[in-house]
Amino acid sequence: MPQIKRVWVVTQNGGMFQEKEREYLRQSLPQAQFDFIPFTADMPLAEYDAIVGNPPAGCLADCRSLRLLQLVSAGTASYPQAVQALGRGIALTNATGAYGPAISEHMLGMLLMLIKKLHLYRDHMRDGLWKDEGPVVSLNGARVLVAGMGDIGGCFGRLCAACGAHVTGIRRTPGPCPDYAEAVYSTDRLDELLPEADVLAMSLPETKETFHLLSRERLSRMKPTAIVLNVGRGNAIDTEALCDALLEGKIGGAGLDVTDPEPLPAGHRLWSVPQALVTPHVSGGSHLYGTVERIAEIAAGNLERLARGEALHNQVDFETGYRKPEDR
């Protein structure tokens, strides 16, 4: 097994890894040189045996010694196609498992804010207005439909179940039903499940199958009181159709950490929709320190396995862009 001599840890705007995590990575391969640097046109790409981070996909063709690209994101974007096109047997792994707690708590916060009308009261605060916004609903007993039963969706489903909600999941491929859910179905059952959902929580990657999964027609199937949450990719929802549904009272509200387009332009009408709560793609990333720790653990573990010639965790299927089923 060839020795791993040099590792590039991609840093951008200072990078997510602080000295504690950097030392943790170094200890995974004490014999290797670790370069914690951003991409530059003149860097020695041909010398790197492994990369931790999300480098410009176009630079991978020059990484002639590369054996592992360990992404620090759960989503894989265009990396599967870029790595597969090189045809050199490079392993691609992602950071699935690191983001669930942070993003699911953000989702729960948005949901509670919407169903308790806290966003409206916050607006009233700024205006010095003492106004009762009327009845609210409870998460206890609500029917929550989770689209995407991976790490993030699973963590959110567990939180909702702990609050007394009835959780149902849909996923791309069949799988076991976890103890917090009442049932898990394949995605082709979405149309029949939507009319009963009080909450639709979407944590889906960007694929051709997920593009506008929540279309104008599907929005019309939902309850007028239903809440939509999206933390995966903005284009999983038809944004204009969502705006229309919210403004026309066809659904009750939307909590969005991702949008289409993204960033959401200053003049976009979604900003002024009272029933919408928009955050600027901040639920994940390095905003919660525990997420950074988990990413470092995943990356360090895979560097050690690569050096020992063992099977890697979180390997990405080049065809689907998802983590391989046998690694779930």
Side-chain angles (χ1 to χ4, degrees), residues 13-154:
N13 301 320
M16 67 166 53
F17 297 128
Q18 301 305 308
E19 185 54 35
K20 178 183 176 182
E21 291 75 44
R22 293 185 180 202
E23 182 59 26
Y24 189 77
L25 290 171
R26 292 188 192 103
Q27 290 302 315
S28 68
L29 290 177
Q31 78 284 2
Q33 175 182 331
F34 280 78
D35 296 336
F36 296 86
I37 55 177
F39 170 75
T40 59
D42 58 348
M43 63 189 304
L45 293 172
E47 297 181 15
Y48 291 111
D49 304 295
I51 299 174
V52 176
N54 294 35
C59 80
L60 296 176
D62 295 322
C63 300
R64 293 186 290 275
S65 300
L66 187 64
R67 294 163 54 200
L68 169 64
L69 172 57
Q70 167 68 62
L71 302 176
V72 296
S73 60
T76 58
S78 62
Y79 288 105
Q81 295 83 3
V83 172
Q84 187 179 35
L86 299 178
R88 298 202 301 264
I90 300 169
L92 176 65
T93 55
N94 68 4
T96 294
Y99 292 95
I103 297 179
S104 63
E105 289 177 7
H106 189 98
M107 295 169 74
L108 182 63
M110 288 195 297
L111 176 59
L112 291 174
M113 194 167 187
L114 288 165
I115 66 175
K116 301 303 181 184
K117 300 182 179 178
L118 300 183
H119 58 304
L120 300 181
Y121 291 115
R122 180 66 183 182
D123 291 345
H124 296 340
M125 258 186 84
R126 284 194 290 267
D127 298 331
L129 181 62
W130 189 277
K131 179 184 178 183
D132 189 330
E133 286 293 344
V136 297
V137 297
S138 177
L139 185 54
N140 183 27
R143 296 193 175 277
V144 176
L145 178 60
V146 179
M149 290 289 282
D151 173 49
I152 296 167

Side-chain angles (χ1 to χ4, degrees), residues 216 219 238-251 269-270 273:
R216 186 176 299 274
L219 282 162
D238 181 336
T239 302
E240 295 306 317
L242 178 67
C243 289
D244 289 342
L246 289 166
L247 291 170
E248 295 168 10
K250 293 180 179 178
I251 63 170
R269 63 173 175 155
L270 184 57
V273 176

Side-chain angles (χ1 to χ4, degrees), residues 162-185:
C163 294
H166 303 284
V167 178
T168 299
I170 59 170
R171 58 184 304 166
R172 183 180 57 88
T173 56
C177 182
D179 56 6
Y180 60 82
E182 297 183 356
V184 176
Y185 301 101

